[in-house]
Amino acid sequence: MNNKNAIGLDNEKSKHLSAKLNELLANYSIFYQNTRGYHWNIKGEKFFELHVKFEELYNDLILKIDEVAERILTLGHTPNHNYTNYREISQIVESVEVSDGVKAVENILESFKTTIVLQRDILNLSSEADDEGTNALMSDYIREQEKSVWMYSAFLDK
Ligand SMILES: [Fe+2]
């Protein structure tokens, strides 16, 4: 049993999975802070609609950030917590232009594409490791975010 962690999963696979989950945590953290920026700084006739929508999104992202970090701990590893590290490993980059609502929604759609693809990779790894806990988390996130992609795309009339 020496090659198993506290929840009975293979140590090496858990380590690899935790590294990928840290990558997801970094992406979520940049995505979260970008969305706060959109919430604060957008202007224009859709302000009231988007201001509320972006708040809903960043509140959802902060919950996922906590769940992903605590999943890494459950697997026996340490979640990264500083933005220097997040900026190094995140594929989502920090937004600079944040006042245009359409641009903000386009950036959100790109960010969802990044997290969905990464979560599918993690799902493959967690399935291979028999890690049902991470499987369930990734399945929920993927399903929710695919639906969000449809709705944000409809907003853009795409
Ligand atoms: Fe606010």
Side-chain angles (χ1 to χ4, degrees), residues 82-149:
N82 62 67
Y83 267 86
T84 309
N85 170 272
Y86 292 160
R87 286 184 60 187
E88 275 169 16
I89 66 171
S90 172
Q91 291 111 299
I92 297 173
V93 295
E94 291 176 336
S95 289
V96 181
E97 171 55 61
V98 290
S99 64
D100 178 342
V102 169
K103 185 91 194 293
V105 170
E106 284 171 354
N107 286 350
I108 285 168
L109 282 167
E110 273 305 306
S111 299
F112 276 134
K113 193 186 286 183
T114 301
T115 58
I116 290 168
V117 168
L118 185 53
Q119 285 158 175
R120 285 206 195 99
D121 287 351
I122 294 171
L123 189 58
N124 284 334
L125 286 175
S126 56
S127 299
E128 215 261 315
D130 291 327
D131 176 2
E132 183 52 34
T134 304
N135 279 348
L137 209 55
M138 293 304 107
S139 300
D140 286 350
Y141 291 180
I142 291 166
R143 191 188 62 250
E144 284 172 32
Q145 289 167 5
E146 285 174 344
K147 185 173 178 184
S148 295
V149 167

Side-chain angles (χ1 to χ4, degrees), residues 36 39-40 51 55 58:
R36 293 216 69 134
H39 169 77
W40 291 328
H51 180 70
E55 181 170 356
Y58 74 64

Side-chain angles (χ1 to χ4, degrees), residues 28 32 36 57-67:
Y28 271 146
Y32 168 79
R36 293 216 69 134
L57 175 58
Y58 74 64
N59 282 331
D60 180 68
L61 290 169
I62 202 92
L63 293 176
K64 288 181 168 57
I65 284 169
D66 202 51
E67 281 178 340

